[in-house]
Amino acid sequence: MTTLAAGLFIAALGILIRYRGATSLIAGFDLEKISDEEGLSNFIGLNAVYVASLTIVIGLIEYSQFQSKIYWYIYTAAVVLLILRMIVGARDYN
């Protein structure tokens, strides 16, 4: 249940960043140095929604009490790849 709640929280943050332009929620960027603030918010917000979707799916799998735990390795790898994508891709907006 905690994983599902975390996924919903991440989704809310992603939606705020992408659709409301809440770039102040993006950590590690000096917003005065960003050349395309709207592009950055779209990029980071969408990727946050991807992470949220994966987290919600994992929460649903946990709730179903699936026997194997291999899905956690897949989830971790996917989230790490998305984070790397955000780090590298966000540089285009500086």
Side-chain angles (χ1 to χ4, degrees):
M1 193 60 121
T2 304
T3 309
L4 193 58
L8 293 173
F9 179 71
I10 296 167
L13 292 176
I15 289 168
L16 282 173
I17 292 169
R18 181 170 171 93
Y19 297 107
R20 299 288 184 200
T23 53
S24 62
L25 295 174
I26 303 172
F29 286 95
D30 184 3
L31 295 177
E32 294 176 2
K33 295 181 180 178
I34 300 299
S35 62
D36 183 8
E37 193 171 328
E38 183 179 349
L40 178 66
S41 68
N42 285 337
F43 178 73
I44 296 295
L46 182 62
N47 282 286
V49 170
Y50 290 158
V51 171
S53 300
L54 287 170
T55 306
I56 290 169
V57 167
I58 290 297
L60 293 173
I61 292 171
E62 282 282 305
Y63 187 71
S64 71
Q65 298 177 353
F66 189 71
Q67 295 301 316
S68 176
K69 298 293 183 185
I70 191 147
Y71 58 86
W72 278 109
Y73 296 110
I74 296 168
Y75 169 78
T76 302
V79 170
V80 166
L81 289 174
L82 282 169
I83 290 170
L84 290 173
R85 179 176 186 236
M86 282 190 265
I87 291 169
V88 172
R91 292 179 184 170
D92 294 340
Y93 301 98
N94 278 341

Coordinates of all heavy atoms in Angstrom, one line a residue:
M1 N 0.8 -1.2 0.0 CA 0.0 0.0 0.0 C 0.9 1.3 0.0 O 0.5 2.2 -0.6 CB -0.9 0.0 1.2 CG -2.0 1.0 1.1 SD -3.0 0.7 -0.3 CE -4.6 0.5 0.5
T2 N 2.0 1.2 0.7 CA 2.9 2.3 0.7 C 3.5 2.7 -0.7 O 3.6 3.8 -1.0 CB 4.0 2.1 1.7 OG1 3.5 1.8 3.0 CG2 5.0 3.3 1.8
T3 N 3.8 1.6 -1.4 CA 4.3 1.8 -2.8 C 3.3 2.5 -3.7 O 3.6 3.3 -4.4 CB 4.8 0.4 -3.4 OG1 5.6 -0.2 -2.4 CG2 5.5 0.6 -4.7
L4 N 2.1 2.1 -3.5 CA 1.0 2.6 -4.3 C 0.8 4.1 -4.0 O 0.7 5.0 -4.9 CB -0.3 1.9 -4.1 CG -1.5 2.2 -5.0 CD1 -1.1 1.9 -6.5 CD2 -2.7 1.3 -4.6
A5 N 0.9 4.4 -2.7 CA 0.8 5.8 -2.3 C 1.9 6.7 -2.8 O 1.8 7.8 -3.2 CB 0.7 5.9 -0.7
A6 N 3.1 6.1 -2.7 CA 4.3 6.8 -3.2 C 4.2 7.1 -4.7 O 4.5 8.2 -5.2 CB 5.6 6.0 -3.0
G7 N 3.7 6.1 -5.5 CA 3.4 6.3 -6.9 C 2.5 7.4 -7.2 O 2.7 8.2 -8.1
L8 N 1.4 7.5 -6.4 CA 0.4 8.5 -6.6 C 1.0 9.9 -6.2 O 0.7 10.9 -6.9 CB -0.8 8.3 -5.7 CG -1.7 7.0 -6.2 CD1 -2.7 6.8 -5.1 CD2 -2.2 7.3 -7.6
F9 N 1.9 10.0 -5.2 CA 2.5 11.2 -4.8 C 3.5 11.7 -6.0 O 3.5 12.8 -6.3 CB 3.3 11.0 -3.5 CG 4.0 12.2 -3.1 CD1 3.3 13.4 -2.6 CD2 5.4 12.3 -3.2 CE1 4.0 14.5 -2.2 CE2 6.1 13.4 -2.8 CZ 5.4 14.5 -2.3
I10 N 4.2 10.7 -6.5 CA 5.2 11.1 -7.6 C 4.4 11.5 -8.8 O 4.8 12.5 -9.5 CB 6.1 9.9 -7.9 CG1 7.0 9.5 -6.8 CG2 6.9 10.2 -9.2 CD1 7.7 8.2 -6.9
A11 N 3.2 10.9 -9.1 CA 2.4 11.3 -10.2 C 1.9 12.7 -10.0 O 1.9 13.5 -10.9 CB 1.2 10.3 -10.3
A12 N 1.5 13.1 -8.8 CA 1.0 14.4 -8.5 C 2.1 15.4 -8.7 O 1.9 16.5 -9.3 CB 0.5 14.5 -7.1
L13 N 3.3 15.1 -8.3 CA 4.5 16.0 -8.6 C 4.7 16.2 -10.1 O 5.0 17.3 -10.6 CB 5.7 15.5 -7.8 CG 5.7 15.6 -6.3 CD1 7.0 15.0 -5.7 CD2 5.5 17.0 -5.9
G14 N 4.7 15.0 -10.8 CA 5.0 15.1 -12.2 C 3.9 15.9 -12.9 O 4.2 16.7 -13.9
I15 N 2.7 15.7 -12.5 CA 1.6 16.5 -13.2 C 1.7 18.0 -12.9 O 1.6 18.8 -13.7 CB 0.2 16.0 -12.7 CG1 0.0 14.6 -13.3 CG2 -0.9 16.9 -13.0 CD1 -1.2 13.8 -12.8
L16 N 2.1 18.3 -11.6 CA 2.3 19.7 -11.3 C 3.5 20.3 -12.1 O 3.4 21.5 -12.6 CB 2.6 19.9 -9.8 CG 1.5 19.8 -8.8 CD1 2.0 19.8 -7.4 CD2 0.5 20.9 -9.1
I17 N 4.5 19.6 -12.3 CA 5.7 20.1 -13.0 C 5.3 20.2 -14.5 O 5.6 21.2 -15.1 CB 6.9 19.1 -12.8 CG1 7.4 19.2 -11.4 CG2 8.0 19.5 -13.8 CD1 8.4 18.2 -11.0
R18 N 4.7 19.2 -15.1 CA 4.4 19.2 -16.5 C 3.3 20.1 -16.9 O 3.4 20.9 -17.9 CB 4.2 17.8 -17.0 CG 3.9 17.8 -18.5 CD 3.8 16.4 -19.1 NE 3.4 16.3 -20.4 CZ 4.2 16.3 -21.5 NH1 5.5 16.4 -21.3 NH2 3.7 16.3 -22.7
Y19 N 2.2 20.0 -16.2 CA 1.0 20.7 -16.7 C 0.7 22.1 -16.0 O 0.0 22.9 -16.5 CB -0.2 19.8 -16.6 CG -0.1 18.6 -17.4 CD1 0.1 17.4 -16.9 CD2 -0.3 18.7 -18.8 CE1 0.2 16.3 -17.7 CE2 -0.2 17.6 -19.6 CZ 0.1 16.4 -19.1 OH 0.2 15.3 -19.9
R20 N 1.3 22.3 -14.9 CA 1.2 23.6 -14.1 C 2.5 24.4 -14.2 O 2.5 25.5 -13.7 CB 0.8 23.3 -12.7 CG -0.5 22.6 -12.5 CD -1.7 23.5 -12.9 NE -2.9 22.8 -12.6 CZ -4.0 23.2 -13.1 NH1 -4.1 24.2 -13.9 NH2 -5.1 22.5 -12.8
G21 N 3.5 23.8 -14.8 CA 4.8 24.6 -14.9 C 5.5 24.9 -13.6 O 6.2 25.9 -13.4
A22 N 5.3 24.0 -12.6 CA 5.9 24.2 -11.3 C 7.4 23.8 -11.3 O 7.8 22.8 -10.7 CB 5.1 23.4 -10.2
T23 N 8.1 24.6 -12.0 CA 9.6 24.2 -12.1 C 10.3 24.4 -10.8 O 11.4 23.9 -10.7 CB 10.2 25.1 -13.2 OG1 10.0 26.5 -13.0 CG2 9.7 24.7 -14.6
S24 N 9.7 25.1 -9.9 CA 10.4 25.2 -8.6 C 10.5 23.8 -7.9 O 11.3 23.7 -6.9 CB 9.7 26.2 -7.7 OG 8.3 25.8 -7.5
L25 N 9.7 22.9 -8.3 CA 9.8 21.5 -7.7 C 11.0 20.7 -8.3 O 11.2 19.6 -7.8 CB 8.5 20.8 -8.0 CG 7.2 21.3 -7.3 CD1 6.0 20.6 -7.8 CD2 7.4 21.3 -5.8
I26 N 11.6 21.2 -9.3 CA 12.7 20.5 -9.9 C 14.0 20.8 -9.1 O 14.4 22.0 -9.1 CB 12.9 20.8 -11.4 CG1 11.6 20.5 -12.2 CG2 14.1 20.1 -12.0 CD1 11.6 21.0 -13.6
A27 N 14.6 19.8 -8.5 CA 15.8 20.1 -7.7 C 17.0 20.2 -8.6 O 17.2 19.6 -9.6 CB 16.0 18.9 -6.7
G28 N 18.0 21.0 -8.2 CA 19.3 21.1 -8.8 C 19.4 22.0 -9.9 O 20.4 22.0 -10.6
F29 N 18.4 22.9 -10.2 CA 18.5 23.8 -11.3 C 18.3 25.2 -10.9 O 17.5 25.5 -10.1 CB 17.4 23.5 -12.4 CG 17.7 22.2 -13.2 CD1 17.2 21.0 -12.8 CD2 18.6 22.3 -14.3 CE1 17.5 19.9 -13.5 CE2 18.9 21.1 -15.0 CZ 18.3 19.9 -14.6
D30 N 19.2 26.1 -11.4 CA 19.0 27.5 -11.2 C 18.1 28.0 -12.3 O 18.5 28.1 -13.5 CB 20.4 28.2 -11.3 CG 20.3 29.7 -10.9 OD1 19.2 30.1 -10.6 OD2 21.3 30.4 -11.0
L31 N 16.9 28.3 -11.9 CA 15.9 28.6 -12.9 C 16.2 29.9 -13.7 O 15.6 30.1 -14.8 CB 14.5 28.7 -12.3 CG 14.0 27.4 -11.7 CD1 12.6 27.6 -11.0 CD2 13.9 26.3 -12.8
E32 N 17.1 30.7 -13.2 CA 17.5 31.9 -13.9 C 18.4 31.6 -15.1 O 18.6 32.4 -16.0 CB 18.1 32.9 -12.9 CG 17.2 33.4 -11.9 CD 17.8 34.3 -10.9 OE1 19.1 34.6 -11.0 OE2 17.2 34.8 -10.0
K33 N 19.0 30.4 -15.0 CA 20.0 30.0 -16.1 C 19.3 29.1 -17.1 O 20.0 28.7 -18.0 CB 21.2 29.3 -15.4 CG 22.0 30.2 -14.6 CD 23.2 29.5 -14.0 CE 24.0 30.4 -13.1 NZ 25.2 29.7 -12.5
I34 N 18.1 28.7 -16.9 CA 17.4 27.8 -17.9 C 17.0 28.6 -19.1 O 16.3 29.6 -19.0 CB 16.2 27.2 -17.2 CG1 16.6 26.4 -15.9 CG2 15.4 26.3 -18.1 CD1 17.5 25.3 -16.2
S35 N 17.3 28.1 -20.3 CA 16.9 28.8 -21.5 C 15.5 28.5 -21.9 O 14.8 29.3 -22.5 CB 17.9 28.4 -22.6 OG 17.8 27.0 -22.9
D36 N 15.0 27.3 -21.7 CA 13.6 26.9 -22.1 C 12.9 26.3 -20.9 O 12.9 25.0 -20.7 CB 13.7 25.9 -23.2 CG 12.3 25.5 -23.7 OD1 11.3 26.1 -23.3 OD2 12.3 24.6 -24.6
E37 N 12.4 27.1 -20.0 CA 11.7 26.6 -18.8 C 10.5 25.7 -19.1 O 10.3 24.7 -18.4 CB 11.3 27.8 -17.9 CG 10.9 27.5 -16.5 CD 10.7 28.7 -15.6 OE1 11.4 29.7 -15.9 OE2 9.9 28.6 -14.7
E38 N 9.8 26.0 -20.1 CA 8.6 25.2 -20.4 C 9.0 23.8 -20.9 O 8.4 22.8 -20.6 CB 7.7 25.9 -21.5 CG 6.5 25.2 -21.8 CD 5.6 25.9 -22.9 OE1 5.9 27.1 -23.2 OE2 4.7 25.2 -23.4
G39 N 10.1 23.8 -21.8 CA 10.6 22.6 -22.3 C 11.1 21.7 -21.2 O 10.9 20.5 -21.1
L40 N 11.8 22.3 -20.2 CA 12.4 21.5 -19.1 C 11.2 21.0 -18.2 O 11.3 19.8 -17.8 CB 13.3 22.4 -18.2 CG 13.8 21.8 -17.0 CD1 14.8 20.7 -17.3 CD2 14.5 22.8 -16.1
S41 N 10.2 21.8 -18.0 CA 9.1 21.3 -17.2 C 8.3 20.2 -17.9 O 7.9 19.2 -17.2 CB 8.1 22.4 -16.8 OG 7.5 22.9 -17.9
N42 N 8.2 20.2 -19.2 CA 7.6 19.2 -19.9 C 8.4 17.9 -19.9 O 7.8 16.8 -19.6 CB 7.3 19.6 -21.4 CG 6.2 20.5 -21.6 OD1 5.3 20.6 -20.7 ND2 6.2 21.3 -22.6
F43 N 9.7 18.0 -20.0 CA 10.6 16.9 -20.1 C 10.6 16.2 -18.7 O 10.4 15.0 -18.6 CB 12.0 17.3 -20.5 CG 13.0 16.2 -20.5 CD1 12.9 15.2 -21.5 CD2 14.0 16.1 -19.6 CE1 13.9 14.2 -21.5 CE2 14.9 15.1 -19.6 CZ 14.9 14.2 -20.5
I44 N 10.9 16.9 -17.7 CA 11.0 16.4 -16.3 C 9.7 15.9 -15.8 O 9.6 14.8 -15.2 CB 11.6 17.4 -15.3 CG1 13.1 17.8 -15.7 CG2 11.6 16.9 -13.9 CD1 14.1 16.6 -15.7
G45 N 8.6 16.6 -16.1 CA 7.3 16.2 -15.6 C 6.9 14.9 -16.3 O 6.3 14.0 -15.6
L46 N 7.1 14.7 -17.6 CA 6.7 13.5 -18.2 C 7.5 12.3 -17.7 O 6.9 11.2 -17.5 CB 6.9 13.6 -19.7 CG 6.6 12.4 -20.6 CD1 5.1 12.1 -20.5 CD2 6.9 12.7 -22.0
N47 N 8.8 12.5 -17.5 CA 9.6 11.4 -16.9 C 9.2 11.1 -15.5 O 9.2 9.9 -15.1 CB 11.1 11.8 -17.0 CG 11.6 11.6 -18.4 OD1 11.8 10.4 -18.9 ND2 11.8 12.7 -19.1
A48 N 8.8 12.1 -14.7 CA 8.3 11.8 -13.4 C 7.0 11.0 -13.4 O 6.8 10.1 -12.6 CB 8.1 13.1 -12.6
V49 N 6.2 11.3 -14.4 CA 4.9 10.5 -14.6 C 5.3 9.1 -15.0 O 4.6 8.1 -14.6 CB 4.0 11.2 -15.6 CG1 2.8 10.3 -16.0 CG2 3.5 12.5 -15.1
Y50 N 6.3 8.9 -15.8 CA 6.8 7.5 -16.1 C 7.2 6.8 -14.9 O 6.8 5.6 -14.7 CB 7.9 7.5 -17.1 CG 7.6 8.0 -18.5 CD1 8.6 8.5 -19.3 CD2 6.3 7.9 -19.0 CE1 8.4 8.9 -20.6 CE2 6.1 8.3 -20.3 CZ 7.1 8.8 -21.1 OH 6.8 9.2 -22.4
V51 N 8.0 7.4 -14.0 CA 8.4 6.8 -12.8 C 7.2 6.5 -11.9 O 7.1 5.4 -11.3 CB 9.4 7.7 -12.0 CG1 9.7 7.1 -10.6 CG2 10.7 7.8 -12.8
A52 N 6.3 7.4 -11.8 CA 5.0 7.2 -11.1 C 4.3 6.0 -11.6 O 3.8 5.2 -10.8 CB 4.2 8.5 -11.1
S53 N 4.2 5.9 -12.9 CA 3.4 4.8 -13.5 C 4.1 3.4 -13.1 O 3.4 2.5 -12.7 CB 3.3 4.9 -15.0 OG 2.7 6.1 -15.3
L54 N 5.4 3.4 -13.2 CA 6.1 2.2 -12.8 C 5.9 1.8 -11.3 O 5.7 0.7 -11.0 CB 7.6 2.3 -13.1 CG 8.0 2.2 -14.5 CD1 9.5 2.6 -14.7 CD2 7.8 0.9 -15.1
T55 N 5.9 2.9 -10.5 CA 5.8 2.7 -9.1 C 4.3 2.2 -8.7 O 4.2 1.3 -7.9 CB 6.1 4.0 -8.3 OG1 7.4 4.4 -8.7 CG2 6.1 3.8 -6.8
I56 N 3.3 2.7 -9.4 CA 2.0 2.3 -9.2 C 1.8 0.8 -9.6 O 1.2 0.0 -8.9 CB 1.0 3.2 -9.9 CG1 1.0 4.6 -9.2 CG2 -0.4 2.6 -10.0 CD1 0.2 5.7 -10.0
V57 N 2.4 0.5 -10.7 CA 2.3 -0.9 -11.2 C 3.0 -1.8 -10.2 O 2.4 -2.9 -9.8 CB 3.0 -1.1 -12.6 CG1 3.2 -2.6 -12.9 CG2 2.1 -0.4 -13.6
I58 N 4.1 -1.5 -9.6 CA 4.8 -2.3 -8.6 C 3.9 -2.4 -7.4 O 3.8 -3.4 -6.7 CB 6.2 -1.7 -8.3 CG1 7.1 -1.9 -9.4 CG2 6.7 -2.3 -7.0 CD1 7.4 -3.3 -9.8
G59 N 3.2 -1.3 -7.0 CA 2.3 -1.3 -5.9 C 1.2 -2.3 -6.1 O 0.8 -3.0 -5.1
L60 N 0.7 -2.3 -7.3 CA -0.4 -3.2 -7.6 C 0.1 -4.7 -7.6 O -0.6 -5.6 -7.1 CB -1.0 -2.9 -8.9 CG -1.8 -1.6 -9.0 CD1 -2.2 -1.3 -10.4 CD2 -3.0 -1.6 -8.0
I61 N 1.3 -4.9 -8.1 CA 1.9 -6.3 -8.0 C 2.1 -6.7 -6.6 O 1.8 -7.8 -6.2 CB 3.2 -6.3 -8.8 CG1 2.9 -6.1 -10.3 CG2 3.9 -7.6 -8.6 CD1 4.2 -6.0 -11.2
E62 N 2.6 -5.8 -5.8 CA 2.8 -6.1 -4.3 C 1.5 -6.4 -3.7 O 1.4 -7.3 -2.8 CB 3.4 -4.9 -3.6 CG 4.9 -4.8 -3.8 CD 5.7 -5.8 -3.0 OE1 5.6 -5.8 -1.8 OE2 6.5 -6.5 -3.6
Y63 N 0.4 -5.7 -4.0 CA -0.9 -5.9 -3.4 C -1.4 -7.3 -3.8 O -2.1 -7.9 -3.0 CB -1.8 -4.8 -3.9 CG -3.2 -4.8 -3.2 CD1 -3.3 -4.5 -1.8 CD2 -4.3 -5.2 -3.9 CE1 -4.5 -4.5 -1.2 CE2 -5.5 -5.3 -3.2 CZ -5.6 -4.9 -1.9 OH -6.8 -5.0 -1.3
S64 N -1.1 -7.8 -5.0 CA -1.6 -9.1 -5.4 C -0.8 -10.2 -4.8 O -1.1 -11.4 -5.0 CB -1.5 -9.2 -7.0 OG -0.2 -9.3 -7.4
Q65 N 0.3 -9.9 -4.1 CA 1.1 -10.9 -3.4 C 1.7 -11.9 -4.4 O 1.8 -13.1 -4.1 CB 0.3 -11.6 -2.3 CG -0.1 -10.6 -1.2 CD -1.0 -11.3 -0.2 OE1 -1.3 -12.5 -0.3 NE2 -1.3 -10.5 0.9
F66 N 2.2 -11.3 -5.5 CA 2.9 -12.2 -6.5 C 4.2 -12.8 -5.8 O 4.9 -12.1 -5.0 CB 3.4 -11.3 -7.6 CG 3.9 -12.0 -8.8 CD1 3.1 -12.7 -9.6 CD2 5.3 -11.9 -9.1 CE1 3.6 -13.4 -10.7 CE2 5.8 -12.5 -10.2 CZ 5.0 -13.3 -11.0
Q67 N 4.4 -14.0 -6.0 CA 5.4 -14.8 -5.3 C 6.9 -14.4 -5.6 O 7.7 -14.3 -4.7 CB 5.3 -16.3 -5.5 CG 4.0 -16.9 -5.0 CD 3.8 -16.7 -3.5 OE1 4.8 -16.9 -2.8 NE2 2.7 -16.2 -3.1
S68 N 7.2 -14.2 -6.8 CA 8.6 -13.8 -7.2 C 8.8 -12.4 -6.9 O 7.9 -11.5 -7.0 CB 8.8 -14.1 -8.7 OG 10.1 -13.7 -9.1
K69 N 10.0 -12.1 -6.6 CA 10.4 -10.7 -6.3 C 11.3 -10.1 -7.4 O 11.9 -9.0 -7.2 CB 11.1 -10.6 -4.9 CG 10.3 -11.0 -3.8 CD 9.1 -10.0 -3.6 CE 8.3 -10.4 -2.3 NZ 7.2 -9.6 -2.1
I70 N 11.4 -10.8 -8.5 CA 12.3 -10.3 -9.6 C 11.8 -9.0 -10.2 O 12.6 -8.2 -10.7 CB 12.4 -11.3 -10.7 CG1 13.5 -11.0 -11.7 CG2 11.1 -11.5 -11.5 CD1 14.2 -12.1 -12.3
Y71 N 10.5 -8.7 -10.0 CA 10.0 -7.4 -10.6 C 10.6 -6.2 -9.9 O 10.7 -5.1 -10.5 CB 8.5 -7.3 -10.5 CG 7.9 -7.5 -9.1 CD1 7.8 -6.4 -8.2 CD2 7.5 -8.8 -8.6 CE1 7.3 -6.6 -6.9 CE2 7.0 -8.9 -7.3 CZ 6.9 -7.8 -6.5 OH 6.4 -7.9 -5.2
W72 N 11.1 -6.4 -8.7 CA 11.8 -5.2 -8.0 C 13.2 -4.9 -8.7 O 13.5 -3.8 -8.8 CB 12.1 -5.5 -6.6 CG 10.9 -5.3 -5.7 CD1 10.2 -6.2 -5.1 CD2 10.4 -4.0 -5.4 NE1 9.2 -5.5 -4.4 CE2 9.3 -4.2 -4.6 CE3 10.7 -2.7 -5.7 CZ2 8.5 -3.1 -4.1 CZ3 10.0 -1.6 -5.2 CH2 8.9 -1.9 -4.4
Y73 N 13.8 -5.9 -9.3 CA 15.1 -5.7 -10.0 C 14.7 -5.0 -11.3 O 15.5 -4.0 -11.7 CB 15.8 -7.0 -10.3 CG 16.3 -7.7 -9.1 CD1 15.7 -8.9 -8.6 CD2 17.3 -7.2 -8.3 CE1 16.2 -9.5 -7.5 CE2 17.8 -7.8 -7.2 CZ 17.2 -9.0 -6.7 OH 17.6 -9.6 -5.6
I74 N 13.7 -5.4 -12.0 CA 13.3 -4.7 -13.2 C 12.9 -3.3 -13.0 O 13.2 -2.4 -13.7 CB 12.1 -5.5 -13.9 CG1 12.6 -6.9 -14.3 CG2 11.6 -4.8 -15.1 CD1 11.5 -7.9 -14.6
Y75 N 12.1 -3.1 -11.9 CA 11.7 -1.7 -11.5 C 12.9 -0.9 -11.2 O 13.0 0.3 -11.7 CB 10.8 -1.8 -10.3 CG 10.5 -0.5 -9.6 CD1 9.5 0.4 -10.2 CD2 11.1 -0.1 -8.5 CE1 9.3 1.6 -9.6 CE2 10.9 1.1 -7.9 CZ 9.9 2.0 -8.4 OH 9.7 3.2 -7.9
T76 N 13.8 -1.4 -10.4 CA 15.0 -0.6 -10.1 C 15.8 -0.2 -11.3 O 16.2 1.0 -11.5 CB 15.9 -1.4 -9.1 OG1 15.1 -1.7 -7.9 CG2 17.1 -0.6 -8.7
A77 N 16.0 -1.1 -12.2 CA 16.7 -0.9 -13.5 C 16.0 0.2 -14.3 O 16.6 1.1 -14.8 CB 16.9 -2.1 -14.3
A78 N 14.7 0.1 -14.4 CA 13.9 1.0 -15.2 C 14.0 2.4 -14.6 O 14.2 3.4 -15.3 CB 12.5 0.5 -15.3
V79 N 13.9 2.5 -13.3 CA 13.9 3.8 -12.6 C 15.3 4.5 -12.8 O 15.4 5.7 -13.0 CB 13.4 3.8 -11.2 CG1 13.7 5.0 -10.4 CG2 12.0 3.4 -11.1
V80 N 16.3 3.7 -12.6 CA 17.7 4.2 -12.8 C 17.9 4.7 -14.2 O 18.4 5.8 -14.4 CB 18.8 3.1 -12.4 CG1 20.1 3.5 -12.9 CG2 18.7 2.9 -10.9
L81 N 17.4 4.0 -15.2 CA 17.5 4.4 -16.6 C 16.7 5.7 -16.8 O 17.2 6.6 -17.5 CB 17.0 3.3 -17.5 CG 18.0 2.1 -17.7 CD1 17.3 1.1 -18.5 CD2 19.3 2.5 -18.2
L82 N 15.6 5.8 -16.2 CA 14.8 7.1 -16.4 C 15.5 8.2 -15.7 O 15.5 9.4 -16.2 CB 13.4 6.9 -15.8 CG 12.4 6.1 -16.7 CD1 11.1 5.8 -16.0 CD2 12.1 6.9 -18.0
I83 N 16.1 8.0 -14.5 CA 16.8 9.1 -13.8 C 18.0 9.5 -14.7 O 18.2 10.7 -14.8 CB 17.2 8.6 -12.4 CG1 16.0 8.5 -11.5 CG2 18.2 9.6 -11.8 CD1 16.2 7.8 -10.2
L84 N 18.7 8.6 -15.2 CA 19.9 8.9 -16.1 C 19.4 9.7 -17.3 O 20.0 10.7 -17.7 CB 20.6 7.7 -16.5 CG 21.4 7.0 -15.4 CD1 22.0 5.7 -15.9 CD2 22.5 7.9 -14.8
R85 N 18.2 9.3 -17.8 CA 17.7 10.0 -19.0 C 17.3 11.5 -18.6 O 17.6 12.4 -19.3 CB 16.4 9.3 -19.5 CG 15.8 10.0 -20.6 CD 14.6 9.2 -21.1 NE 14.0 9.8 -22.3 CZ 12.8 10.1 -22.4 NH1 11.9 10.0 -21.4 NH2 12.4 10.7 -23.5
M86 N 16.8 11.6 -17.4 CA 16.5 13.0 -16.9 C 17.7 13.8 -16.7 O 17.7 15.0 -17.1 CB 15.6 12.9 -15.6 CG 14.2 12.6 -15.8 SD 13.2 12.8 -14.4 CE 13.2 11.2 -13.7
I87 N 18.7 13.2 -16.1 CA 20.0 14.0 -15.9 C 20.6 14.4 -17.2 O 21.0 15.6 -17.3 CB 20.9 13.1 -15.0 CG1 20.4 13.0 -13.6 CG2 22.3 13.8 -15.0 CD1 21.1 11.9 -12.8
V88 N 20.7 13.5 -18.1 CA 21.4 13.8 -19.4 C 20.5 14.7 -20.2 O 21.0 15.7 -20.8 CB 21.7 12.5 -20.1 CG1 22.2 12.8 -21.5 CG2 22.8 11.7 -19.4
G89 N 19.2 14.5 -20.3 CA 18.3 15.2 -21.1 C 18.1 16.6 -20.6 O 17.9 17.6 -21.4
A90 N 18.1 16.8 -19.3 CA 17.9 18.2 -18.8 C 19.0 19.1 -19.1 O 18.8 20.4 -19.1 CB 17.7 18.1 -17.3
R91 N 20.2 18.6 -19.4 CA 21.3 19.5 -19.8 C 21.0 20.3 -21.1 O 21.6 21.4 -21.3 CB 22.6 18.7 -20.0 CG 23.1 18.1 -18.7 CD 24.3 17.3 -18.9 NE 24.7 16.7 -17.7 CZ 25.6 15.7 -17.6 NH1 26.3 15.3 -18.7 NH2 26.0 15.2 -16.5
D92 N 20.1 19.8 -21.9 CA 19.7 20.5 -23.1 C 19.0 21.8 -22.9 O 18.9 22.7 -23.8 CB 18.8 19.6 -24.0 CG 19.6 18.4 -24.5 OD1 20.8 18.4 -24.5 OD2 18.9 17.4 -24.9
Y93 N 18.5 22.0 -21.7 CA 17.7 23.2 -21.3 C 18.5 24.3 -20.6 O 18.0 25.3 -20.2 CB 16.5 22.8 -20.5 CG 15.6 21.8 -21.3 CD1 15.7 20.5 -21.1 CD2 14.7 22.3 -22.3 CE1 14.9 19.6 -21.8 CE2 14.0 21.4 -23.0 CZ 14.0 20.1 -22.8 OH 13.3 19.2 -23.5
N94 N 19.8 24.0 -20.4 CA 20.7 25.0 -19.8 C 21.2 26.0 -20.8 O 21.4 25.8 -21.9 CB 21.8 24.4 -19.1 CG 21.4 23.9 -17.7 OD1 20.4 24.3 -17.2 ND2 22.2 23.0 -17.2

